Amino acid sequence: GQQLNQSPQSMFIQEGEDVSMNCTSSSIFNTWLWYKQDPGEGPVLLIALYKAGELTSNGRLTAQFGITRKDSFLNISASIPSDVGIYFCAGQRGTGKLIFGQGTTLQVKP
Amino acid sequence: DAGVTQSPTHLIKTRGQQVTLRCSPISGHKSVSWYQQVLGQGPQFIFQYYEKEERGRGNFPDRFSARQFPNYSSELNVNALLLGDSALYLCASSRDRDRGREAFFGQGTRLTVV
Protein backbone atom coordinates (compact mmCIF):
# COMPACT_ATOMS: atom_id res chain seq x y z
CA GLY A 1 0.00 0.00 0.00
CA GLN A 2 0.93 3.63 -0.37
CA GLN A 3 3.16 5.07 2.34
CA LEU A 4 4.97 8.32 2.88
CA ASN A 5 8.77 8.50 2.97
CA GLN A 6 9.73 8.98 6.58
CA SER A 7 13.31 9.37 7.82
CA PRO A 8 15.31 8.43 9.62
CA GLN A 9 14.08 4.89 10.09
CA SER A 10 15.57 4.74 13.59
CA MET A 11 17.48 6.93 16.00
CA PHE A 12 19.48 6.17 19.13
CA ILE A 13 20.27 9.31 21.09
CA GLN A 14 21.45 10.49 24.46
CA GLU A 15 18.98 11.91 26.94
CA GLY A 16 18.84 15.69 26.61
CA GLU A 17 19.61 15.76 22.90
CA ASP A 18 17.28 17.25 20.31
CA VAL A 19 15.66 15.02 17.69
CA SER A 20 14.48 15.81 14.18
CA MET A 21 12.55 13.59 11.79
CA ASN A 22 10.79 14.32 8.53
CA CYS A 23 8.27 13.02 6.09
CA THR A 24 8.05 13.60 2.34
CA SER A 25 5.57 12.78 -0.38
CA SER A 26 5.30 13.11 -4.12
CA SER A 27 1.72 14.30 -3.66
CA ILE A 28 0.14 17.28 -1.93
CA PHE A 29 -1.66 16.91 1.38
CA ASN A 30 -4.16 19.23 3.06
CA THR A 31 -3.37 18.01 6.56
CA TRP A 32 -0.32 16.54 8.26
CA LEU A 33 -0.57 14.64 11.52
CA TRP A 34 2.13 13.28 13.80
CA TYR A 35 1.50 10.26 16.04
CA LYS A 36 3.48 8.33 18.65
CA GLN A 37 2.91 4.63 19.13
CA ASP A 38 4.07 2.53 22.07
CA PRO A 39 4.36 -1.27 21.78
CA GLY A 40 0.96 -2.98 21.71
CA GLU A 41 -0.93 0.31 21.70
CA GLY A 42 -2.66 2.42 19.11
CA PRO A 43 -1.10 5.61 17.76
CA VAL A 44 -1.57 8.70 19.93
CA LEU A 45 -2.00 12.06 18.21
CA LEU A 46 0.79 14.53 19.01
CA ILE A 47 0.31 17.44 16.62
CA ALA A 48 -2.07 18.31 13.77
CA LEU A 49 -1.16 20.79 11.00
CA TYR A 50 -3.72 22.30 8.64
CA LYS A 51 -2.04 25.06 6.63
CA ALA A 52 1.07 25.20 4.48
CA GLY A 53 3.88 26.87 6.42
CA GLU A 54 2.16 26.33 9.75
CA LEU A 55 4.46 25.82 12.72
CA THR A 56 2.85 24.26 15.80
CA SER A 57 4.23 23.32 19.20
CA ASN A 58 3.05 20.91 21.86
CA GLY A 59 5.38 21.15 24.85
CA ARG A 60 8.81 20.01 23.73
CA LEU A 61 7.46 18.99 20.33
CA THR A 62 7.39 21.27 17.31
CA ALA A 63 6.10 20.36 13.87
CA GLN A 64 5.84 22.23 10.59
CA PHE A 65 3.70 21.85 7.50
CA GLY A 66 5.98 22.33 4.50
CA ILE A 67 5.18 25.22 2.16
CA THR A 68 5.05 22.87 -0.83
CA ARG A 69 2.45 20.80 1.09
CA LYS A 70 4.51 17.72 0.26
CA ASP A 71 6.51 17.47 3.46
CA SER A 72 6.48 17.92 7.21
CA PHE A 73 8.98 17.66 10.03
CA LEU A 74 8.83 16.97 13.76
CA ASN A 75 11.37 18.17 16.29
CA ILE A 76 11.67 16.99 19.88
CA SER A 77 13.78 19.14 22.15
CA ALA A 78 15.67 17.96 25.23
CA SER A 79 14.67 14.31 24.86
CA ILE A 80 13.78 12.25 27.92
CA PRO A 81 13.49 8.46 28.36
CA SER A 82 9.68 8.49 28.00
CA ASP A 83 10.08 9.83 24.44
CA VAL A 84 11.02 6.28 23.43
CA GLY A 85 8.60 4.85 20.88
CA ILE A 86 7.72 4.86 17.19
CA TYR A 87 6.75 8.16 15.60
CA PHE A 88 4.53 8.21 12.52
CA CYS A 89 3.66 10.99 10.16
CA ALA A 90 0.34 10.83 8.34
CA GLY A 91 -1.04 12.88 5.47
CA GLN A 92 -4.64 13.55 4.59
CA ARG A 93 -6.04 15.02 1.36
CA GLY A 94 -9.57 15.98 2.29
CA THR A 95 -11.17 12.62 2.79
CA GLY A 96 -10.95 10.67 6.01
CA LYS A 97 -8.20 8.43 4.68
CA LEU A 98 -4.81 8.80 6.34
CA ILE A 99 -1.63 7.76 4.55
CA PHE A 100 1.16 6.89 6.98
CA GLY A 101 4.92 6.90 6.85
CA GLN A 102 6.92 3.83 7.78
CA GLY A 103 7.71 5.22 11.21
CA THR A 104 10.82 6.44 13.05
CA THR A 105 11.90 4.32 16.02
CA LEU A 106 13.39 6.49 18.74
CA GLN A 107 15.55 5.12 21.53
CA VAL A 108 16.87 7.38 24.29
CA LYS A 109 19.87 6.44 26.39
CA PRO A 110 19.67 7.82 29.94
CA ASP B 1 -14.65 11.13 28.28
CA ALA B 2 -13.90 7.64 27.02
CA GLY B 3 -11.61 7.32 24.06
CA VAL B 4 -11.99 4.94 21.15
CA THR B 5 -12.60 1.44 22.47
CA GLN B 6 -11.97 -1.77 20.57
CA SER B 7 -12.77 -5.36 21.36
CA PRO B 8 -11.40 -7.89 21.72
CA THR B 9 -7.82 -6.80 22.46
CA HIS B 10 -6.33 -10.09 21.31
CA LEU B 11 -7.65 -12.87 19.12
CA ILE B 12 -6.28 -16.12 17.71
CA LYS B 13 -8.00 -17.69 14.73
CA THR B 14 -7.32 -20.56 12.37
CA ARG B 15 -6.86 -20.17 8.62
CA GLY B 16 -10.19 -20.18 6.81
CA GLN B 17 -12.17 -18.92 9.78
CA GLN B 18 -14.08 -15.67 9.98
CA VAL B 19 -13.55 -12.88 12.51
CA THR B 20 -15.50 -9.83 13.68
CA LEU B 21 -13.80 -6.89 15.35
CA ARG B 22 -15.68 -4.13 17.14
CA CYS B 23 -15.13 -0.44 17.67
CA SER B 24 -16.89 2.27 19.67
CA PRO B 25 -15.94 5.82 18.66
CA ILE B 26 -15.48 8.82 20.89
CA SER B 27 -18.81 10.32 21.91
CA GLY B 28 -19.90 12.85 19.30
CA HIS B 29 -17.72 11.42 16.56
CA LYS B 30 -19.62 10.25 13.50
CA SER B 31 -16.78 8.89 11.37
CA VAL B 32 -15.03 5.57 11.95
CA SER B 33 -12.09 4.28 9.95
CA TRP B 34 -10.32 0.92 10.06
CA TYR B 35 -6.60 0.35 9.53
CA GLN B 36 -4.40 -2.73 9.33
CA GLN B 37 -0.91 -2.48 10.79
CA VAL B 38 1.51 -5.23 9.99
CA LEU B 39 4.54 -5.50 12.27
CA GLY B 40 7.21 -2.97 11.37
CA GLN B 41 5.00 -0.87 9.10
CA GLY B 42 2.68 2.09 9.33
CA PRO B 43 -1.10 1.55 9.40
CA GLN B 44 -2.82 0.89 6.06
CA PHE B 45 -6.30 2.26 5.40
CA ILE B 46 -9.06 -0.33 5.00
CA PHE B 47 -12.41 1.48 5.28
CA GLN B 48 -14.05 4.71 6.32
CA TYR B 49 -17.67 4.95 7.44
CA TYR B 50 -19.58 8.13 8.02
CA GLU B 51 -23.23 8.37 8.95
CA LYS B 52 -23.55 4.60 8.47
CA GLU B 53 -22.37 4.69 4.85
CA GLU B 54 -19.08 3.54 3.37
CA ARG B 55 -17.14 6.63 2.32
CA GLY B 56 -13.83 5.12 1.38
CA ARG B 57 -12.18 1.77 0.79
CA GLY B 58 -8.50 0.89 0.66
CA ASN B 59 -6.78 -1.72 -1.46
CA PHE B 60 -8.04 -4.78 0.40
CA PRO B 61 -9.82 -7.87 -0.96
CA ASP B 62 -13.56 -8.42 -0.72
CA ARG B 63 -12.96 -10.76 2.21
CA PHE B 64 -12.85 -7.56 4.24
CA SER B 65 -16.16 -5.87 5.00
CA ALA B 66 -17.47 -3.46 7.58
CA ARG B 67 -20.55 -1.65 8.73
CA GLN B 68 -21.53 1.21 10.99
CA PHE B 69 -24.49 1.17 13.32
CA PRO B 70 -26.96 3.98 14.23
CA ASN B 71 -24.97 4.67 17.41
CA TYR B 72 -21.85 5.12 15.18
CA SER B 73 -20.11 2.01 16.50
CA SER B 74 -18.61 -0.21 13.83
CA GLU B 75 -17.67 -3.79 13.04
CA LEU B 76 -14.95 -5.07 10.75
CA ASN B 77 -15.42 -8.56 9.34
CA VAL B 78 -12.77 -10.65 7.68
CA ASN B 79 -13.73 -13.93 6.00
CA ALA B 80 -11.59 -16.88 4.95
CA LEU B 81 -8.66 -15.77 7.08
CA LEU B 82 -5.14 -16.10 5.71
CA LEU B 83 -1.88 -16.18 7.63
CA GLY B 84 -1.08 -12.78 6.12
CA ASP B 85 -4.11 -11.26 7.84
CA SER B 86 -2.22 -11.44 11.13
CA ALA B 87 -1.83 -7.83 12.21
CA LEU B 88 -2.90 -5.12 14.61
CA TYR B 89 -6.29 -3.80 13.49
CA LEU B 90 -6.86 -0.21 14.47
CA CYS B 91 -10.04 1.78 14.61
CA ALA B 92 -9.96 5.58 14.42
CA SER B 93 -12.79 8.01 15.02
CA SER B 94 -13.13 11.61 13.97
CA ARG B 95 -15.82 14.22 14.35
CA ASP B 96 -16.37 14.82 10.66
CA ARG B 97 -15.93 12.88 7.47
CA ASP B 98 -13.12 14.97 6.09
CA ARG B 99 -11.72 18.52 6.12
CA GLY B 100 -8.63 17.23 7.86
CA ARG B 101 -10.12 16.68 11.27
CA GLU B 102 -7.96 14.85 13.76
CA ALA B 103 -8.36 11.08 13.90
CA PHE B 104 -8.05 9.41 17.29
CA PHE B 105 -7.11 5.74 17.48
CA GLY B 106 -8.12 2.91 19.75
CA GLN B 107 -5.62 0.51 21.30
CA GLY B 108 -6.21 -1.98 18.51
CA THR B 109 -7.08 -5.65 18.21
CA ARG B 110 -4.12 -7.99 17.78
CA LEU B 111 -5.24 -10.75 15.39
CA THR B 112 -3.10 -13.82 15.02
CA VAL B 113 -3.99 -16.35 12.32
CA VAL B 114 -2.47 -19.80 12.74
Side-chain angles (χ1 to χ4, degrees):
Chain A
Q2 182 182 5
Q3 287 196 320
L4 303 174
N5 297 314
Q6 188 172 346
S7 64
Q9 188 173 5
S10 63
M11 303 180 73
F12 189 85
I13 62 169
Q14 197 78 28
E15 182 178 359
E17 289 183 349
D18 296 343
V19 172
S20 183
M21 59 192 78
N22 67 78
C23 209
T24 61
S25 170
S26 58
S27 305
I28 289 172
F29 287 102
N30 295 329
T31 301
W32 284 93
L33 305 169
W34 285 91
Y35 290 88
K36 178 175 183 277
Q37 187 174 28
D38 293 327
E41 300 291 328
V44 174
L45 181 66
L46 299 174
I47 292 180
L49 302 158
Y50 299 108
K51 293 174 60 175
E54 179 182 356
L55 185 71
T56 298
S57 294
N58 178 10
R60 294 178 296 106
L61 278 61
T62 301
Q64 185 160 28
F65 192 142
I67 58 174
T68 65
R69 297 167 63 192
K70 294 182 179 180
D71 62 338
S72 178
F73 72 76
L74 174 70
N75 287 340
I76 305 173
S77 62
S79 58
I80 59 178
S82 63
D83 291 334
V84 166
I86 304 176
Y87 292 80
F88 288 99
C89 61
Q92 193 175 45
R93 290 198 181 93
T95 68
K97 174 182 177 180
L98 294 178
I99 297 173
F100 282 83
Q102 308 99 313
T104 295
T105 300
L106 178 62
Q107 298 180 66
V108 180
K109 182 178 180 181
Chain B
D1 286 342
V4 179
T5 57
Q6 292 186 241
S7 63
T9 55
H10 295 82
L11 202 53
I12 300 175
K13 289 286 189 178
T14 304
R15 277 179 298 175
Q17 285 189 315
Q18 174 264 342
V19 68
T20 297
L21 311 179
R22 296 175 176 83
C23 172
S24 293
I26 293 171
S27 177
H29 286 194
K30 299 181 178 180
S31 176
V32 170
S33 297
W34 287 94
Y35 291 80
Q36 180 195 66
Q37 187 177 23
V38 174
L39 195 63
Q41 296 184 18
Q44 293 286 323
F45 174 77
I46 309 175
F47 286 110
Q48 184 198 20
Y49 277 77
Y50 178 74
E51 290 285 13
K52 302 178 287 296
E53 291 189 12
E54 182 183 307
R55 301 291 185 165
R57 171 186 275 263
N59 187 25
F60 281 81
D62 292 342
R63 299 185 296 107
F64 289 76
S65 63
R67 54 179 175 170
Q68 187 177 32
F69 299 98
N71 66 354
Y72 302 109
S73 66
S74 177
E75 287 182 350
L76 175 70
N77 296 286
V78 186
N79 294 322
L81 285 167
L82 304 174
L83 295 179
D85 294 331
S86 296
L88 181 67
Y89 287 85
L90 296 162
C91 172
S93 80
S94 56
R95 189 171 298 277
D96 300 315
R97 172 190 170 189
D98 50 24
R99 296 188 66 241
R101 295 298 178 185
E102 301 96 333
F104 295 90
F105 285 84
Q107 83 282 7
T109 294
R110 171 70 64 185
L111 172 65
T112 302
V113 182
V114 297

